[in-house]
């Protein structure tokens, strides 16, 4: 379905981003990976995805360079998935200002810079798919996640504006809002809970899910990848400016 398409997925050396990269590649898209990792992991991923960049997307100039490099290596960028993200949890009184700045830069501002860099060529071809990975925390809040929740609400707002500005074109912009997906980002929160409460990891997982996600199941990166593929299809051409929850009924409550 995506044979002629070229995709850039930020933060795709792990978790959801890698799931999306693999799902797009399975449909025939040429995909450029981005993100960090141990040299061994990057070498292995490069065998699967020859186009890779270690650009640090907290830096606006590196985001622009990343889009330029993807355009050169793939021949263009038709699909942009803004996925890279980090987390830090603490009450606001002790939340480090440096973590606030980093989360806003990586989880929100990078989306702005990447879209600004990629949109002109999408407009020239009158086709594009921009998919921003927000979160349930783009729709509702939880304590101790002030920067993450602010950034993800920002991503949902940014998504709506870009969708309006491209509404009469062949370019769509949407956000996916996952609940809990068991990736390294969430594993850290499971580990912290197990340590704090002195409970086994399996119990910490169950508690984490029970608190927020009524289905009591983690979503998988493959399931998010399949939704991204659908958003790239012709059937999805009039889904615009949406913030699509994949959250086991978390935000239905
Ligand atoms: P992850 O930690 O498994 O992967 C994060 C990726 O981002 C990695 O490839 C990492 O190298 C990359 N990255 C981090 N900082 C970067 C930087 N400065 N420049 C370039 N790349 C950078 O996390 P994940 O759970 O797969 O999260 C992916 C996205 O999904 C994030 O935006 C996250 O907020 C969002 N999300 C995750 C969940 C979840 O439950 N896991 C839920 C909702 C939303």
């Amino acid at each position: 379905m995506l044979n002629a398409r070229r995709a850039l997925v930020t933060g795709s050396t792990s978790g959801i981003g890698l799931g999306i990269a693999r799902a797009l590649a399975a449909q025939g898209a040429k995909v450029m990976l981005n993100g960090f990792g141990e040299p061994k992991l990057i070498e292995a991923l490069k065998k699967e995805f020859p186009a890779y960049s270690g650009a640090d997307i907290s830096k606006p100039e590196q985001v622009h360079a990343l889009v330029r490099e993807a355009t050169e290596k793939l021949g263009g960028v038709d699909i942009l998935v803004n996925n890279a993200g980090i987390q830090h949890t603490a009450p606001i009184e002790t939340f480090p200002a440096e973590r606030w700045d980093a989360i806003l830069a990586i989880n929100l501002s990078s989306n702005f810079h990447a879209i600004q860099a990629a949109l002109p060529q999408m407009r020239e071809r009158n086709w594009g798919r921009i998919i921003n990975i927000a979160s349930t925390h783009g729709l509702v809040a939880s304590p101790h996640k002030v920067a993450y929740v602010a950034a993800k609400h920002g991503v949902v707002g940014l998504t709506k504006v870009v969708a309006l500005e491209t509404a009469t074109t062949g370019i769509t912009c949407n956000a996916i809002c996952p609940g809990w997906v068991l990736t390294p980002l969430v594993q850290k929160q499971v580990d912290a809970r197990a340590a704090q409460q002195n409970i086994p990891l399996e119990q910490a997982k169950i508690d984490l899910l029970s608190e927020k996600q009524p289905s009591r199941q983690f979503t998988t990166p493959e399931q998010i990848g399949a939704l991204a593929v659908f958003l790239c299809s012709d059937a999805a051409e009039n889904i615009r400016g949406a913030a699509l929850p994949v959250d086991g009924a978390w935000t239905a409550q």
Side-chain angles (χ1 to χ4, degrees):
M1 189 185 91
L2 299 175
N3 269 338
R5 306 297 184 197
R6 289 95 23 124
L8 169 61
V9 185
T10 69
S12 44
T13 54
S14 168
I16 293 172
L18 186 53
I20 293 173
R22 286 187 168 137
L24 295 174
Q27 294 296 323
K30 281 199 266 177
V31 180
M32 180 154 172
L33 287 197
N34 156 254
F36 306 143
E38 297 295 323
K40 259 192 182 166
L41 170 75
I42 301 297
E43 279 320 303
L45 287 174
K46 275 184 176 170
K47 289 197 183 113
E48 198 180 339
F49 298 94
Y52 160 79
S53 160
D56 176 352
I57 56 121
S58 68
K59 311 266 190 313
E61 65 285 1
Q62 291 198 33
V63 178
H64 281 272
L66 174 64
V67 173
R68 274 200 305 277
E69 195 183 337
T71 305
E72 279 160 24
K73 284 197 174 147
L74 306 177
V77 175
D78 308 295
I79 299 166
L80 169 66
V81 183
N82 286 308
N83 166 78
I86 58 168
Q87 177 63 285
H88 184 83
T89 59
I92 189 164
E93 294 93 327
T94 55
F95 204 95
E98 168 277 322
R99 284 293 86 194
W100 167 273
D101 289 343
I103 290 175
L104 268 284
I106 293 167
N107 296 16
L108 175 59
S109 299
S110 71
N111 294 20
F112 162 76
H113 296 297
I115 293 168
Q116 194 172 62
L119 202 47
Q121 56 170 295
M122 291 181 181
R123 282 200 191 273
E124 267 171 34
R125 293 187 290 269
N126 196 32
W127 197 92
R129 292 289 186 266
I130 300 168
I131 301 171
N132 300 322
I133 306 305
S135 168
T136 47
H137 286 119
L139 304 169
V140 295
S142 296
H144 299 175
K145 295 188 174 177
V146 66
Y148 190 86
V149 170
K152 294 299 188 179
H153 275 69
V155 170
V156 170
L158 166 98
T159 301
K160 291 177 182 173
V161 173
V162 175
L164 287 174
E165 292 185 8
T166 54
T168 58
T169 74
I171 304 159
T172 72
C173 180
N174 291 289
I176 297 178
C177 297
W180 293 123
V181 184
L182 193 57
T183 66
L185 182 140
V186 166
Q187 187 65 48
K188 277 187 211 152
Q189 296 173 60
V190 171
D191 295 346
R193 183 181 278 259
Q196 269 162 17
Q197 298 177 15
N198 197 21
I199 54 174
L201 281 177
E202 276 316 301
Q203 189 58 47
K205 276 185 200 166
I206 293 166
D207 291 355
L208 190 90
L209 286 170
S210 309
E211 210 173 74
K212 300 278 186 184
Q213 194 147 299
S215 68
R216 297 195 188 171
Q217 287 176 40
F218 288 103
T219 303
T220 64
E222 290 75 18
Q223 288 169 333
I224 305 289
L227 177 54
V229 166
F230 176 70
L231 287 173
C232 293
S233 72
D234 292 342
E237 74 174 347
N238 212 24
I239 300 179
R240 294 171 182 265
L244 301 164
V246 187
D247 66 1
W250 178 331
T251 53
Q253 299 168 95

